[in-house]
Amino acid sequence: AFSDKRTNLVIDDGAAFVRNTKEKYDAVIVDSSDPIGPATVLFTKEFYGNVKKILTPKGIMVRQSGSTFYQPKELRENFALLKKIFKYNAPCVFAVPTYVGGFFCLTFSSLGTDPLKAQERNIAKRFSALNLKTQYYNPGIHVASFKAPEYVIKLTGARR
């Protein structure tokens, strides 16, 4: 992925970068630490507004949203803020056995791409064309990851 000409890996102050760039992106991935100290800015309306400005019309932002069990306040507050900025938002729950609590969450946000409308057969065609060998991911897991457990739906107010 790093040698792919479409990749633009930026290691920098994320808030400053999204505030100042004039580029447009198909995907923005935010893998920040918890919303304390220097990372606090990465959980603000201003930051997400700037991310929104740099996304292409169907672009997506995905951010690490923490443990569904041990960080429910962070997940709830962050999801509520993202719903004010992006048209589509969905929690994506997955297992991380090496972290306390096991279940973690990503938040998917977009102005033009609804992950709940993704069809497994379409994802399967695209995935097959890549000829990748994976040990976990498959098109069924992709679709299922947006089927959040009831406690996450109640916590975030996510759509079903």
Side-chain angles (χ1 to χ4, degrees):
F2 295 116
S3 61
D4 189 313
K5 66 180 177 149
R6 298 170 297 174
T7 300
N8 180 17
L9 176 64
V10 177
I11 301 171
D12 198 351
D13 177 325
F17 180 82
V18 298
R19 182 175 53 248
N20 297 321
T21 188
K22 303 296 183 227
E23 299 291 322
K24 294 286 186 177
Y25 293 89
D26 295 321
V28 173
I29 301 168
V30 181
D31 185 14
S32 69
S33 57
D34 294 336
I36 54 174
T40 303
V41 69
L42 301 176
F43 292 81
T44 64
K45 185 176 182 179
E46 177 187 1
F47 174 71
Y48 293 130
N50 288 331
V51 169
K52 176 181 170 180
K53 289 177 191 173
I54 69 170
L55 287 175
T56 58
K58 290 193 173 195
I60 65 168
M61 180 196 72
V62 178
R63 74 154 299 115
Q64 183 273 116
S65 298
S67 168
T68 62
F69 290 119
Y70 295 113
Q71 296 167 302
K73 181 177 183 244
E74 177 184 325
L75 176 57
R76 181 179 52 251
E77 290 175 356
N78 200 40
F79 201 86
L81 178 57
L82 289 167
K83 287 194 319 188
K84 294 177 183 175
I85 298 167
F86 295 95
K87 181 176 181 180
Y88 300 109
N89 296 280
C92 175
V93 179
F94 56 97
V96 182
T98 57
Y99 282 95
V100 175
F103 284 110
F104 268 66
C105 190
L106 299 173
T107 301
F108 175 106
S109 298
S110 180
L111 294 171
T113 300
D114 184 352
L116 301 183
K117 291 188 177 176
Q119 296 182 352
E120 187 174 340
R121 68 177 176 269
N122 294 338
I123 295 168
K125 287 178 192 173
R126 294 172 69 187
F127 183 66
S128 178
L130 295 172
N131 199 30
L132 295 175
K133 303 295 181 224
T134 61
Q135 293 192 23
Y136 179 80
Y137 179 85
N138 62 53
I141 288 290
H142 183 104
V143 173
S145 67
F146 290 104
K147 304 296 184 190
E150 195 62 26
Y151 76 95
V152 173
I153 291 170
K154 288 178 181 175
L155 185 66
T156 61
R159 298 172 299 126
R160 295 178 192 269

